[in-house]
Amino acid sequence: RIATETETEVMEGYLLQRWTEHTPSLGPPPTGPSAIAKMRLLCMAQMNAVPILEAFDRLSEEDQELLSVEMALTGCEGQTYSPELSPQDSPLMSQGPAFLIYYGPAFLQGLGSDNAVVRLQLLAQVYGVTRRLWPASPDQAGSCVTVRIDAIKGLSVSDMKEAEKKTEHRWAVVRKNGNEAFVDQVPMRYSSEDDMVAVSSDMTEDSCDVALLDLADAAVEMLARSVSKR
């Protein structure tokens, strides 16, 4: 099919097939602005597909829209999913970069005892804070940024919170270069109550971008900073 169809058309066909062949049956493939996101989540979550999809419907409208838009970006200039399956009214559909959440499937497959809604809220946060570091732009429509989350893929939310308490470090998305980022813990330093600066010892460039994840309630409440290495 790749010889006669675009990359996005091939991917869309695959997503529809995976939904149709899922056991137990999930009914007809979804339609509407969140359809692509739901079908991608099914593929990512595998054996946890049912609780993850049920959790998606319990997310806030803000989180649903965030995941629906970000997960429908193709990273291929001039290519979009079918209008009946994606949020075509969003201006981001013709912009980029798209984000590849590396180890995203493992993050959802390792649900364990975690609340599936909170797990999806954290995934939405990763997308959201990364967008703060890479603002959408039409000239980036054909590009993709890889965000590695291997540091948290096997951790429960309580594990992540406990790590913050023990180390006095915060979880954050750290921009490594022009097309890569990773989730890591960064030490915190406060110059005032309203001025928080995050500095990562792993930063190798003269300046790096850091976007903090908020585990307090897993809401999409994002703080992005451009910090200079001391």
Side-chain angles (χ1 to χ4, degrees), residues 101 122-123 125-134 145-149 152 170-176 180-186 198 203 208-213 223-225:
I101 310 300
L122 285 173
L123 181 63
Q125 269 204 68
V126 171
Y127 275 108
V129 299
T130 304
R131 181 57 68 196
R132 289 287 186 92
L133 301 180
W134 275 274
V145 170
T146 300
V147 185
R148 298 185 61 98
I149 64 168
I152 63 171
R170 289 284 301 278
W171 291 103
V173 175
V174 181
R175 178 172 174 144
K176 183 178 180 181
E180 290 180 289
F182 58 93
V183 171
D184 198 3
Q185 283 192 287
V186 294
M203 295 178 186
C208 295
D209 288 333
V210 176
L212 300 176
L213 297 173
L223 297 171
R225 298 281 182 181

Side-chain angles (χ1 to χ4, degrees), residues 2-167:
I2 195 65
T4 58
E5 298 182 350
T6 67
E7 297 92 335
T8 301
E9 289 171 335
V10 172
M11 181 63 174
E12 183 176 308
Y14 170 75
L15 293 175
L16 289 166
Q17 181 179 349
R18 285 291 303 272
W19 184 281
T20 302
E21 294 178 349
H22 187 270
T23 302
S25 174
L26 297 172
T31 58
S34 63
I36 291 297
K38 288 181 177 179
M39 290 188 286
R40 287 190 60 190
L41 288 171
L42 175 142
C43 294
M44 293 168 65
Q46 295 189 10
M47 66 281 194
N48 289 327
V50 171
I52 288 295
L53 290 171
E54 290 175 348
F56 183 91
D57 291 331
R58 299 200 301 272
L59 291 173
S60 67
E61 290 185 10
E62 184 180 15
D63 281 345
Q64 286 189 27
E65 181 179 0
L66 192 157
L67 288 172
S68 296
V69 171
E70 295 291 358
M71 298 185 78
L73 297 182
T74 66
C76 297
E77 189 171 7
Q79 296 184 29
T80 59
Y81 289 103
S82 296
E84 65 272 17
L85 302 177
S86 56
Q88 295 297 312
D89 58 344
S90 172
L92 263 68
M93 288 298 97
S94 60
Q95 301 184 54
F99 300 139
L100 170 63
I101 310 300
Y102 205 78
Y103 287 112
F107 182 70
L108 296 182
Q109 291 166 29
L111 183 61
S113 60
D114 266 357
N115 182 296
V117 174
V118 173
R119 204 75 166 176
L120 278 184
Q121 287 174 328
L122 285 173
L123 181 63
Q125 269 204 68
V126 171
Y127 275 108
V129 299
T130 304
R131 181 57 68 196
R132 289 287 186 92
L133 301 180
W134 275 274
S137 171
D139 62 1
Q140 294 296 312
S143 64
C144 182
V145 170
T146 300
V147 185
R148 298 185 61 98
I149 64 168
D150 31 318
I152 63 171
K153 65 181 175 66
L155 299 180
S156 66
V157 175
S158 60
D159 288 338
M160 294 174 66
K161 290 181 177 179
E162 187 64 24
E164 286 193 339
K165 291 179 181 178
K166 287 183 177 180
T167 63

